[in-house]
Amino acid sequence: MEPIPAKPVFIVGSPRSGTSILTWCLGQHPNIIPLDESTGLGNLTIALAICYQTKMGLGGKSLWTALNVPKGEFFSGFGQTINELILRHNVDLERRRWQEAAGPSVSPERFVTEQSAKARWVDGTPEYSFHIYGLRQLFPDARFIHIVRDVTSVVQSMLNFHRLAGVKLVANEQEAYDYWYRAVSASLLAERAYGPRVVLRLRYSELVNRSEASLRAVLHFLGEPYAAECLIPLGERINSSSVPADFRLGDLGTAPEVIDRAMRLSAELETSPQPGEGSISAAQQLETEFNQRVQYVAALDSAYVKAHSEYVKARARAKRLAKEVENKRATIRDLRTRRQRHKLRGLLLPHGTNEETT
């Protein structure tokens, strides 16, 4: 049987912009599996790039370049395997979610899976905004949906995230503005690089106010037929931060320039359309940024290995020195004891008297 082509969907953009709700909307489709936020795939692309270029012994090539394995084939081979694992074990994911919802009092034997096999999956991890190039290497046929929400609403939601999850998403207001700006900027660069056939921009306001039309457009972009059940999650408040009505922004510690640049970009997105085609220069910029990150992590790994090796050697030397110190201490204790005995004999016996004669 031919493997099912890997055609995952990634929802990118800033956290608190609707990535979760859109993931669950698409997850209601009869051909799309909704995954929990993962984060690991982005790091995997970095690790694979390092693996691909790591040289063998004293040779000048890596194993893969020596075998003439193209970089694209190397990455996509791993991507295809990941895709097959997700599709094969989807039933285990369904069972876990069902058990969590049903509770411990319900027998696992009552679980019934869907009869139709889904051929695609969607991941709404916002962090993947910074890994779009690498994810395209893993999954050349992947599609990305950049969901955009106005920065003020996002910052308010970020700062109230603890009401939902019990932990803070950002430390302060400045970090929230900066996170929104970086995630949106990275996603916009991907828009320019790959064009509307690969990356679709979707406004959060459109998803909320024109839900059916928006989802029809999204599914058309994905090449999937419209399914009305995709509207169901929009009738619920999923993963909402519940921002209090009297909550206001205005932290005096926030740098004005950080706010200004985010507000300007947010305003621009309200009126500027998505580019109509991809840009070679933008694609090259994405590739350069990815390679720079790979080199940074590789250098970091190398520095860690070197530092750890030096630590192990230093620790071994420290143990040897500690042993020597302990031996010296034992020698000193022995000499001190013998010296004290000698002094004591000197006090008890007259000078010139043989201690063995009585």
Side-chain angles (χ1 to χ4, degrees):
M1 181 182 295
E2 288 292 325
I4 298 175
K7 298 171 63 177
V9 182
F10 294 99
I11 314 298
V12 296
S14 170
R16 317 310 303 158
S17 293
T19 53
S20 296
I21 188 68
L22 182 55
T23 297
W24 282 105
C25 285
L26 294 179
Q28 307 308 305
H29 194 278
N31 196 40
I32 302 176
I33 303 165
L35 299 185
D36 298 333
E37 292 186 11
S38 54
T39 72
L41 291 178
N43 294 331
L44 176 62
T45 63
I46 303 293
L48 287 176
I50 294 173
C51 176
Y52 181 79
Q53 67 185 19
T54 301
K55 297 178 180 179
M56 300 184 296
L58 300 177
K61 293 185 177 182
S62 73
L63 170 62
W64 312 107
T65 55
L67 290 170
N68 290 325
V69 178
K71 185 177 180 181
E73 181 182 346
F74 177 78
F75 271 84
S76 62
F78 280 92
Q80 185 62 42
T81 299
I82 292 169
N83 186 70
E84 292 172 8
L85 286 171
I86 290 175
L87 298 181
R88 189 183 311 145
H89 290 274
N90 175 42
V91 64
D92 299 317
L93 178 63
E94 288 184 13
R95 181 182 293 107
R96 179 182 63 79
R97 287 172 174 165
W98 180 86
Q99 289 176 335
E100 290 176 353
S105 60
V106 180
S107 172
E109 295 179 357
R110 297 182 60 182
F111 169 76
V112 178
T113 186
E114 297 182 10
Q115 297 301 315
S116 59
K118 297 187 175 187
R120 302 179 76 174
W121 44 276
V122 57
D123 188 321
T125 305
E127 188 70 18
Y128 289 161
S129 304
F130 307 106
H131 295 278
I132 296 176
Y133 175 86
L135 292 172
R136 279 211 77 203
Q137 297 299 301
L138 268 183
F139 310 105
D141 294 323
R143 293 296 179 264
F144 300 84
I145 302 171
H146 176 202
I147 187 164
V148 182
R149 189 181 185 188
D150 69 280
V151 67
T152 300
S153 298
V154 169
V155 170
Q156 289 178 330
S157 184
M158 283 187 181
L159 293 173
N160 286 276
F161 183 72
H162 63 281
R163 301 177 187 275
L164 168 71
V167 294
K168 288 187 175 183
L169 182 60
V170 290
N172 51 50
E173 194 172 300
Q174 177 163 321
E175 189 174 311
Y177 276 107
D178 183 64
Y179 198 163
W180 180 91
Y181 181 84
R182 291 187 300 107
V184 172
S185 295
S187 301
L188 290 175
L189 178 58
E191 286 185 20
R192 297 196 301 273
Y194 303 130
R197 293 186 178 182
V198 175
V199 185
L200 174 70
R201 186 192 302 176
L202 174 66
R203 289 185 174 85
Y204 175 80
S205 58
E206 292 290 310
L207 178 64
V208 173
N209 298 322
R210 300 179 64 248
S211 303
E212 182 176 337
S214 295
L215 286 173
R216 283 185 181 275
V218 167
L219 290 170
H220 177 74
F221 164 72
L222 297 177
E224 298 289 348
Y226 175 71
E229 52 264 46
C230 291
L231 291 167
I232 295 174
L234 291 168
E236 308 172 11
R237 291 178 64 86
I238 296 179
N239 202 16
S240 171
S241 295
S242 300
V243 179
D246 59 348
F247 182 80
R248 297 290 182 272
L249 299 175
D251 182 358
L252 297 178
T254 304
E257 59 270 20
V258 173
I259 299 176
D260 289 345
R261 76 173 182 178
M263 294 296 289
R264 284 197 304 270
L265 181 57
S266 185
E268 290 173 10
L269 290 173
E270 290 297 320
T271 56
S272 63
Q274 180 175 353
E277 58 183 14
S279 162
I280 294 176
S281 61
Q284 290 173 339
Q285 182 180 343
L286 267 181
E287 182 177 7
T288 298
E289 291 179 356
F290 176 79
N291 289 334
Q292 288 174 344
R293 184 180 300 182
V294 169
Q295 296 307 317
Y296 171 78
V297 175
L300 199 63
D301 289 345
S302 177
Y304 169 80
V305 170
K306 181 180 179 181
H308 186 265
S309 175
E310 292 175 350
Y311 164 76
V312 171
K313 292 178 181 177
R315 188 177 181 183
R317 287 197 302 270
K319 286 184 177 179
R320 289 195 300 270
L321 289 173
K323 184 64 176 177
E324 290 179 14
V325 169
E326 183 59 34
N327 290 339
K328 294 295 184 183
R329 285 176 177 170
T331 300
I332 291 172
R333 286 195 298 268
D334 179 63
L335 291 172
R336 182 181 294 119
T337 300
R338 292 166 61 185
R339 183 167 178 264
Q340 289 175 345
R341 288 176 179 173
H342 178 74
K343 286 183 177 181
L344 183 60
R345 286 196 298 269
L347 291 173
L348 295 177
L349 298 174
H351 287 290
T353 304
N354 188 335
E355 59 179 318
E356 293 182 358
T357 60
T358 57

